[in-house]
Amino acid sequence: MKISIPKGTKDILPGEIEKYKYVQTAFADMLENFGYSQIRFPVFEYTELFQRGVGDTTDIVQKEMYTFNDKGGRSVTLRPEGTASVVRSYIENGMSSNTQPVKLYYDITAYRYENVQKGRYREFNQLGAEILGSDSCNADVEVLFMLYSFFNGLGIQGLHLNINSIGCKTCRAEYNSILKEYFSDKTDNMCADCKRRYITNPMRLLDCKVDKCIEIAKDAPMLLDNLCDNCKEHFYNVTAGLDEINIPYIINKRIVRGLDYYVRTVFEFIAEGLGAQNTVCAGGRYDGLVEQLGGTDTPGIGFAMGLERLVETMKNSGFKFPTAKTPVIFIGYIGEKAFKVARTIANELRLKGIYCEIDINDRSLKAQLKFADKKDALYSVVLGDAEIDTNKAIIKNMKTQETKEVSIDSIVRRVVENII
RNA sequence: GUGGGUAUAGCUCAGUUGGUUAGAGCGCUAGGUUGUGGCCCUAGAGGUCAAGGGUUCAAAUCCCUUUAUUCACCCCA
């Protein structure tokens, strides 16, 4: 039977990988300028971390986790996201004793057992970051400024920042009862899902895509209009901060993050032209999470962006990605004796940091040059017995056809010093 | 879990109302008179027509089942 790649995964091949690397490097560079350090954590964690961190009632935990027992009988799970692990690490490594706030970024693959569709995979790449130990609105604004600048720098068009506040535990409890009251006499006309949501999670009623439910929910009271005074002030300060530094945003009262740990500020960067899965980056504040996972009460804010979706959006925006490296010079040869000289030159150049190609398939000179052309080499030189005897060879500029006779001894120096 | 589309060479795709050795372009390998690439020409390799079953004298083509893939719902990066 033919071996095939697992559903929802993909190989990232040469030609495509350069695009990913470009974004990953740009991300790391920017994050480090904002004072973040990289963190790495395991691909799998004990299942309990995600159950408690992401939340037992979320879709991620209920139906999307890659969970299995290891040989010691412990239940482990492939990470469906990064925040829970970062917080676990923060607690476990005593980072509450570090200079506050602690800023960490990560570049990971994540795993969710979902049905695949455009922009959604079972293994996918996330670039994310967390700030732990700041409850100030300045943290929120700084994160949003950084992300806005990052996307701007990548030349992305049609990406819109949507923000909302979903309050804290206290205002949310109060809001839920307000919401239930509003919907109490309307449940008969709602879809089956919404009837269930009415009981389990009334806030989700606002998210339904069914026409009649949208109609019913249209005039429902919004959480944003029912925040407690502290949350209201925090949100006001965040938007005021964004206004001050001219970051455009849309207040989207319908953003309800799907992970349990979010409080107060939540946001998404939504792209045009990506299909149904159009959220490129999402995040928010999670002030209670550290405590919930057994640490001391520590506020936090973070985000994650989907690398696949981001690269796709950049392609849609016509971004000119860097292409793969091409050889500076191709060293051709005729005969065994010449090969040994050519090999020495090639390897010397390579060790001096120059990308140099040489045929290792015993091909004819014609095939060698064809190879050089396919690899898009800038220069070529051919060594044969005559050249070796006279210590002279012709270097050719493959683009301009110009040729130049040089001594074989000088080839390495000429290429390194770029005087060809 | 639910619904729709698709499945022929490494890639993009032709393939007539069922008709005999299944095609093209690109790519790959080699050659075009023993030492100079691209363009052009020639040749070669590479297909259980997704798999299994059925109808038929005859199936890539029609029917059924399965699988894969893709888009969408739910939800999310």
Side-chain angles (χ1 to χ4, degrees), chain A residues 52 87 91 169 287-298:
Chain A
R52 284 170 50 192
V87 169
I91 297 166
K169 258 189 226 149
D287 292 342
L289 182 60
V290 178
E291 195 174 16
Q292 195 183 319
L293 289 176
T296 54
D297 185 16
T298 307

Side-chain angles (χ1 to χ4, degrees), chain A residues 137-149 160-165 234-252 265-269 301:
Chain A
C137 61
N138 291 330
D140 306 40
V141 174
E142 186 183 273
V143 164
L144 292 169
F145 173 76
M146 180 174 70
L147 287 168
Y148 176 80
S149 309
H160 304 291
L161 168 59
N162 286 235
I163 67 169
N164 190 22
S165 175
H234 184 87
F235 188 66
Y236 174 79
N237 287 334
V238 171
T239 54
L242 292 175
D243 291 336
E244 255 175 56
I245 54 176
N246 298 315
I247 304 295
Y249 60 89
I250 300 161
I251 294 179
N252 182 344
T265 312
V266 292
F267 58 86
E268 291 187 13
F269 284 83
I301 180 170

Side-chain angles (χ1 to χ4, degrees), chain A residues 115-129:
Chain A
N115 273 341
V116 295
Q117 70 187 75
K118 192 174 174 64
R120 187 166 67 192
Y121 309 97
R122 289 185 172 177
E123 179 188 59
F124 57 101
N125 287 278
Q126 276 194 336
L127 303 175

Side-chain angles (χ1 to χ4, degrees), chain A residues 268-321:
Chain A
E268 291 187 13
F269 284 83
I270 298 174
E272 296 165 359
L274 270 191
Q277 309 306 318
N278 57 4
T279 301
V280 168
C281 174
R285 196 160 260 294
Y286 47 86
D287 292 342
L289 182 60
V290 178
E291 195 174 16
Q292 195 183 319
L293 289 176
T296 54
D297 185 16
T298 307
I301 180 170
F303 64 86
M305 58 182 88
L307 187 49
E308 287 81 0
R309 290 180 189 180
L310 184 54
V311 167
E312 208 50 41
T313 308
M314 290 170 70
K315 286 183 194 166
N316 291 343
S317 301
F319 187 81
K320 296 268 181 292
F321 287 96

Side-chain angles (χ1 to χ4, degrees), chain A residues 185-191 195 210 212-213 216:
Chain A
D185 58 346
K186 301 178 177 66
T187 51
D188 289 351
N189 295 322
M190 300 189 301
C191 71
K195 282 175 183 154
V210 177
K212 58 181 180 181
C213 298
I216 292 171

Side-chain angles (χ1 to χ4, degrees), chain A residues 80-311:
Chain A
E81 55 109 51
T83 303
S85 294
V86 173
V87 169
R88 191 225 78 231
S89 179
Y90 177 88
I91 297 166
E92 201 162 353
N93 293 294
M95 289 190 234
S96 57
S97 307
N98 293 8
T99 309
Q100 301 290 304
V102 172
K103 291 173 156 184
L104 300 164
Y105 76 88
Y106 53 85
D107 179 349
I108 61 169
T109 53
Y111 303 84
R112 292 184 198 171
Y113 190 84
E114 297 184 88
N115 273 341
V116 295
Q117 70 187 75
K118 192 174 174 64
R120 187 166 67 192
Y121 309 97
R122 289 185 172 177
E123 179 188 59
F124 57 101
N125 287 278
Q126 276 194 336
L127 303 175
E130 318 290 347
I131 299 179
L132 290 144
S134 173
D135 60 3
S136 166
C137 61
N138 291 330
D140 306 40
V141 174
E142 186 183 273
V143 164
L144 292 169
F145 173 76
M146 180 174 70
L147 287 168
Y148 176 80
S149 309
F150 180 64
F151 295 133
N152 225 25
L154 296 179
I156 294 174
Q157 285 146 23
L159 193 64
H160 304 291
L161 168 59
N162 286 235
I163 67 169
N164 190 22
S165 175
I166 56 171
C168 58
K169 258 189 226 149
T170 43
C171 32
R172 226 183 298 175
E174 202 162 306
Y175 173 68
N176 266 333
S177 50
I178 293 172
L179 211 52
K180 277 201 161 177
E181 202 180 308
Y182 170 83
F183 281 107
S184 60
D185 58 346
K186 301 178 177 66
T187 51
D188 289 351
N189 295 322
M190 300 189 301
C191 71
D193 280 336
C194 279
K195 282 175 183 154
R196 180 174 46 79
R197 293 186 185 116
Y198 178 77
I199 310 293
T200 57
N201 192 354
M203 271 170 65
R204 288 248 159 248
L205 290 168
L206 306 175
D207 232 13
C208 188
K209 306 291 192 299
V210 177
D211 283 346
K212 58 181 180 181
C213 298
I214 292 174
E215 187 59 31
I216 292 171
K218 206 176 62 174
D219 300 317
M222 302 305 284
L223 176 49
L224 191 59
D225 304 319
N226 290 278
L227 295 177
C228 67
D229 288 346
N230 285 341
C231 290
K232 204 180 289 177
E233 193 190 342
H234 184 87
F235 188 66
Y236 174 79
N237 287 334
V238 171
T239 54
L242 292 175
D243 291 336
E244 255 175 56
I245 54 176
N246 298 315
I247 304 295
Y249 60 89
I250 300 161
I251 294 179
N252 182 344
K253 297 180 179 179
R254 291 181 186 280
I255 289 187
V256 186
R257 310 263 58 247
L259 284 66
D260 276 1
Y261 51 65
Y262 285 113
V263 294
R264 292 192 167 177
T265 312
V266 292
F267 58 86
E268 291 187 13
F269 284 83
I270 298 174
E272 296 165 359
L274 270 191
Q277 309 306 318
N278 57 4
T279 301
V280 168
C281 174
R285 196 160 260 294
Y286 47 86
D287 292 342
L289 182 60
V290 178
E291 195 174 16
Q292 195 183 319
L293 289 176
T296 54
D297 185 16
T298 307
I301 180 170
F303 64 86
M305 58 182 88
L307 187 49
E308 287 81 0
R309 290 180 189 180
L310 184 54
V311 167

